[in-house]
Amino acid sequence: MASGGLVRLWNEWAMQIMVIVSFLLQILLLALGGTRRHSSSSVVRLTLWLCYLMADSTAIYSLGHLSVAAGSGKHQLVAFWAPFLLLHLGGPDNITAFSLEDNKLWLRHLQTLVLQVLGAAYVVYKYMVGGGTWLLLASISIFVAGLVKYGERIWALRCGNISNIRIRPNNGQSDPEAGRDDAGPLLLQNMSDQDILVQAHSHFDVCVGIFNNAPQARQHGPTNGNAYRQPQVIQYKFAEMVLSLLYDILYTKASVLLTWHGICIHFIPPLGTATALLLFQINIMAPREIAYDRVDVIISYVLLVGAMVLDIISLCRIVLSCWTFFFLNSRPGRGWWWLLQVVSSLRQLVQCETSKRLWKGSIGQHDLFHLCAHHREGIRGRLAMKMGFQDSWNKMHFSETFLPTGFLNVEDLKEIVLGWLDWYSQRHLDYNYRDSYILQTLKNCTEQTDPDMSQIEMEERILVWHIATTVYIWKTKAEDEDKLVQKMTEAANVLSNYMMFLLVVKPDMLPGFTTHNPYKAACNFMDNLWSTNPVMVSASTSWNPCQIIKGWLFQHEGPNGSSIPEREKLLQMLVSEYTHQPTKRVEILDEFSERGQETVYKGLKLAEQMEMVEDDEFATRHDTLDLIVSMWVGLMWHVGEHISRDSHAKELSNGGEFITILWLLARYRDHMLFGTIPPHPRPPSSSDSD
């Protein structure tokens, strides 16, 4: 009985439900579309992904259903909703593509546009022609608005390909240098966020050239070499805002607003919606033979008023956006200056988007020892294994974000990294040379033979240095260290865990093809070693359903909790088994574990070399830590330079990555200092070793 009632309810009210759901999805997309710029929350991303997919499928399904069985008589207004579905397919301005691949499918969306326009035109022709002049005109107004809005989205998708962004968005100016301030250095002390954003707009063409890997002539005089001596926080904000502008081009309709005709076309949908509301009101007040269904009338008003409200919100965002501000700022003439002051005052009044364009400082962390030492055979781990999601479970459950401590925060980390980035970028050192230089420095302080790192693939190289960094910090850390040493210790640990996070969770952010075989082999070996621990701590096997669900969804065991006793025991076991015993081997269960053993042994051997650096009379623990940090910075620079530009661009929709900011900043500084953007770092010369 209940199922039969639901079927009858659906048969009678299916279209009413679908159009309301479609409208609600538009509201959710408008509210959540811009959060990806500065948030990497998986909950927000999942919600937005579902809304993005459901919005298109719901509108397409509803429009197809209308073309087959639209209403008539008292339900004639059901056919009036067909053009609104075109409007919904156009989507809000702050999200056109969910991922970079969506931009490459713009031709598919164009085909969908043709089919859906024909479907909506058929519904309007079949059911609206005899429904009264006013209702027909209202339908045509919404139809035109929907056609233009959907066309805008396809235009934005086509322009959203990195390869298509060839010319700086200068709003149709013939002079690409218009509006650019060449006087003085690029970034100044105490510059406001608004001023930094204007500079980011002015130099956006350089960012586009970097992402297209295209050499460009320097646009500024030599005085801009002073950018190297400007406050680091200003430089980071500049890079963050440039990437935020690129996000707008790739994932929103910002590219549509870069020309006069684009701006004019953008006013058609709100005008069409307002006209349709007026015509619909006249039609409602006109006498007719058959009265409309009251629910249908209410839904029609909701769709009309709701579309107007969404358009008004969209227009307000456009008027107060930084794109409009920069457009007016680049216009000559007093009339434009007056309008610029009005927009600037309104932006200050409502405290506009400037702060939302800054990166939120999310630096992923993954500790190999924490993963291997933690007991993974609890109820949640076993359930993930049974379902075939063990790797995904380990990535999610044992990875976290760096949390500031009493000695190190994100700003401190930026300052440390940028200091070494200056040293590297000004010398244009080749990565293998930098790696060999660091290893040679270690070798000069010890009689040990260093591992031949030049023959190691990137994935194993990260593993070896991660193991060496972790073991060295664990063996040499003392409670009476001064604050500077503790800061460098935490910086080395954070950078090490961050590169492991990219290796494990985001392998697309590494050059080449990442197989994860060295990582899995190392995990397998340490699992074998850990299983020999007679005092291994067992995990709780509580079957409390509430605790299981809570733990599955919210509880993480990331490196921020790495002070667990199990991790300390694993490190102690590993060091005691191998230190000063080059031939020592534990019982190997398979050949895969033996490969992991070799990788771990290389890391332990490198950690011993790090310790011996401190035996030199001129070296201190701070010097060794500084050397380790410099290696990780060089590695990040190398990785950022050699991964695809699409990999950098894809992460902009996930809140952005620290390595992308560093890479863009280094490449931009190369441009400002040397005048062109070289496709690859220069090979080292003899002068580089001085």
Side-chain angles (χ1 to χ4, degrees):
M1 296 294 293
S3 60
L6 290 176
V7 170
R8 286 194 299 272
L9 177 65
W10 176 256
N11 290 335
E12 185 175 355
W13 299 100
M15 282 310 307
Q16 286 82 350
I17 295 173
M18 295 299 291
V19 294
I20 290 297
V21 168
S22 181
F23 174 67
L24 292 177
L25 288 172
Q26 296 301 306
I27 296 176
L28 287 175
L29 286 174
L30 181 65
L32 300 176
T35 57
R36 296 186 302 162
R37 186 200 311 275
H38 52 81
S39 174
S40 57
S41 170
S42 57
V43 175
V44 173
R45 182 173 175 80
L46 177 60
T47 303
L48 189 60
W49 176 69
L50 292 174
C51 291
Y52 182 83
L53 293 181
M54 290 177 62
D56 281 1
S57 58
T58 301
I60 292 174
Y61 170 82
S62 301
L63 197 53
H65 186 73
L66 275 174
S67 62
V68 175
S72 59
K74 72 172 185 176
H75 287 291
Q76 187 181 26
L77 288 181
V78 173
F80 175 60
W81 302 336
F84 285 96
L85 297 172
L86 278 182
L87 205 63
H88 295 170
L89 284 170
D93 294 342
N94 61 345
I95 176 171
T96 55
F98 182 81
S99 63
L100 203 62
E101 289 76 11
D102 292 329
N103 293 323
K104 300 177 182 180
L105 300 177
W106 69 273
L107 281 174
R108 181 178 299 179
H109 283 275
L110 181 61
Q111 180 188 28
T112 304
L113 169 65
V114 173
L115 294 177
Q116 300 308 315
V117 165
L118 291 176
Y122 172 76
V123 173
V124 171
Y125 172 77
K126 183 176 181 180
Y127 298 101
M128 292 288 100
V129 171
T133 303
W134 299 115
L135 188 59
L136 176 61
L137 292 176
S139 300
I140 294 175
S141 297
I142 293 293
F143 181 86
V144 173
L147 177 62
V148 170
K149 195 166 187 178
Y150 201 1
E152 273 186 341
R153 181 185 177 185
I154 296 173
W155 182 8
L157 288 172
R158 182 182 181 279
C159 296
N161 287 319
I162 294 179
S163 58
N164 290 339
I165 310 175
R166 295 295 183 185
I167 302 175
R168 181 172 67 92
N170 54 15
N171 302 299
Q173 298 178 53
S174 58
D175 181 11
E177 294 299 309
R180 190 188 291 257
D181 184 9
D182 291 322
L186 169 65
L187 302 171
L188 300 175
Q189 179 76 33
N190 298 325
M191 181 176 280
S192 67
D193 289 351
Q194 180 65 44
D195 294 332
I196 299 173
L197 184 56
V198 171
Q199 289 288 356
H201 268 284
S202 183
H203 295 79
F204 185 68
D205 56 336
V206 178
C207 172
V208 171
I210 290 174
F211 268 84
N212 283 328
N213 204 26
Q216 298 184 10
R218 180 170 53 185
Q219 304 292 346
H220 295 269
T223 57
N224 285 282
N226 292 333
Y228 280 91
R229 296 189 290 272
Q230 298 309 321
Q232 290 146 346
V233 63
I234 302 293
Q235 297 182 41
Y236 270 99
K237 284 185 177 181
F238 174 80
E240 291 166 10
M241 289 184 177
V242 167
L243 289 174
S244 177
L245 296 177
L246 185 61
Y247 169 89
D248 287 346
I249 297 295
L250 297 177
Y251 298 102
T252 74
K253 291 183 181 178
S255 56
V256 176
L257 304 175
L258 303 181
T259 57
W260 274 112
H261 53 273
I263 295 175
C264 295
I265 291 175
H266 196 76
F267 279 90
I268 294 178
L271 289 176
T273 305
T275 302
L277 177 60
L278 177 61
L279 294 173
F280 181 78
Q281 180 63 30
I282 295 175
N283 179 71
I284 290 295
M285 297 175 62
R288 67 184 59 81
E289 296 180 0
I290 302 176
Y292 296 137
D293 183 82
R294 184 177 180 182
V295 174
D296 293 348
V297 173
I298 294 175
I299 292 177
S300 299
Y301 273 118
V302 169
L303 293 176
L304 284 165
V305 176
M308 279 198 61
V309 171
L310 294 181
D311 284 338
I312 291 173
I313 293 175
S314 176
L315 285 176
C316 289
R317 287 185 172 185
I318 292 172
V319 171
L320 299 178
S321 71
C322 63
W323 294 98
T324 302
F325 181 86
F326 180 70
F327 174 85
L328 297 174
N329 191 51
S330 61
R331 301 288 99 182
R334 185 170 181 81
W336 293 107
W337 179 87
W338 177 84
L339 189 56
L340 173 66
Q341 297 306 309
V342 173
V343 172
S344 179
S345 299
L346 290 174
R347 284 173 58 85
Q348 294 178 1
L349 181 64
V350 298
Q351 297 181 352
C352 264
E353 57 187 348
T354 306
S355 61
K356 294 182 180 180
R357 290 187 171 273
L358 296 177
W359 178 61
K360 292 302 181 182
S362 175
I363 303 177
Q365 300 284 279
H366 186 89
D367 187 346
L368 175 66
F369 293 92
H370 180 82
L371 169 68
C372 295
H374 197 278
H375 191 87
R376 287 171 279 163
E377 297 301 321
I379 178 62
R380 292 167 292 165
R382 291 202 302 271
L383 182 58
M385 184 183 301
K386 292 292 184 182
M387 298 176 64
F389 298 133
Q390 185 179 14
D391 290 342
S392 300
W393 165 256
N394 290 338
K395 292 177 185 179
M396 177 188 71
H397 195 66
F398 295 97
S399 300
E400 279 190 355
T401 300
F402 164 62
L403 298 177
T405 65
F407 300 101
L408 184 74
N409 55 36
V410 175
E411 298 304 320
D412 294 331
L413 188 64
K414 290 178 180 179
E415 182 178 356
I416 293 171
V417 170
L418 190 57
W420 275 106
L421 196 65
D422 286 347
W423 189 85
Y424 284 136
S425 61
Q426 292 188 44
R427 289 165 176 78
H428 274 257
L429 302 181
D430 177 73
Y431 173 73
N432 287 326
Y433 171 76
R434 294 195 301 268
D435 203 13
S436 301
Y437 167 78
I438 293 170
L439 287 169
Q440 185 63 39
T441 303
L442 296 173
K443 186 178 179 180
N444 290 340
C445 301
T446 177
E447 296 180 356
Q448 298 286 334
T449 303
D450 62 286
D452 189 4
M453 298 293 285
S454 62
Q455 303 300 320
I456 298 179
E457 296 295 333
M458 175 59 64
E459 186 174 355
E460 188 173 1
R461 190 183 306 228
I462 293 175
L463 275 168
V464 170
W465 278 100
H466 174 72
I467 293 168
T469 301
T470 305
V471 171
Y472 169 77
I473 291 175
W474 177 77
K475 291 177 67 176
T476 61
K477 190 172 183 179
E479 295 183 358
D480 57 346
E481 292 175 338
D482 59 44
K483 293 183 178 180
L484 183 58
V485 171
Q486 292 189 34
K487 177 185 289 188
M488 292 303 297
T489 300
E490 293 189 14
N493 189 58
V494 168
L495 294 179
S496 174
N497 289 340
Y498 176 60
M499 292 306 295
M500 280 299 298
F501 172 81
L502 295 183
L503 169 65
V504 176
V505 181
K506 298 186 176 183
D508 289 342
M509 295 298 289
L510 295 181
F513 178 71
T514 304
T515 64
H516 277 171
N517 286 335
Y519 168 76
K520 293 178 181 178
C523 287
N524 202 25
F525 162 70
M526 285 200 278
D527 283 343
N528 291 339
L529 177 65
W530 182 241
S531 65
T532 64
N533 183 8
V535 292
M536 183 175 63
V537 180
S538 297
S540 172
T541 56
S542 171
W543 285 87
N544 187 318
C546 295
Q547 292 298 324
I548 292 175
I549 295 174
K550 180 180 178 181
W552 179 272
L553 294 177
F554 304 109
Q555 183 180 350
H556 291 268
E557 295 290 347
N560 292 326
S562 59
S563 61
I564 59 174
E566 290 88 343
R567 180 180 183 273
E568 305 294 315
K569 291 175 183 177
L570 175 58
L571 282 165
Q572 186 175 3
M573 289 179 62
L574 195 63
V575 172
S576 64
E577 290 282 354
Y578 282 87
T579 301
H580 306 303
Q581 301 181 62
T583 60
K584 179 68 176 178
R585 295 291 186 271
V586 298
E587 181 182 355
I588 300 301
L589 301 181
D590 53 56
E591 184 178 350
F592 194 57
S593 296
E594 187 171 3
R595 180 182 176 184
Q597 180 177 238
E598 294 297 331
T599 301
V600 173
Y601 180 67
K602 290 176 184 177
L604 293 172
K605 190 176 179 182
L606 185 56
E608 289 184 12
Q609 291 180 267
M610 293 176 179
E611 287 186 78
M612 293 181 182
V613 171
E614 296 182 34
D615 294 339
D616 186 84
E617 60 179 334
F618 300 107
T620 64
R621 174 168 164 77
H622 181 273
D623 295 332
T624 307
L625 290 168
D626 206 29
L627 199 65
I628 295 172
V629 169
S630 72
M631 188 287 308
W632 284 115
V633 174
L635 182 62
M636 292 173 65
W637 185 28
H638 173 81
V639 168
E641 177 62 30
H642 287 83
I643 63 176
S644 68
R645 302 304 185 251
D646 282 357
S647 296
H648 284 297
K650 287 177 183 178
E651 288 305 316
L652 295 180
S653 64
N654 297 326
E657 278 297 335
F658 186 42
I659 194 172
T660 300
I661 298 174
L662 296 181
W663 165 76
L664 177 64
L665 188 56
R667 293 287 277 167
Y668 182 81
R669 288 148 67 91
D670 286 346
H671 167 77
M672 296 300 294
L673 186 62
F674 298 104
T676 59
I677 302 175
H680 298 289
R682 295 186 293 105
S685 62
S686 58
S687 60
D688 287 331
S689 60
D690 296 335

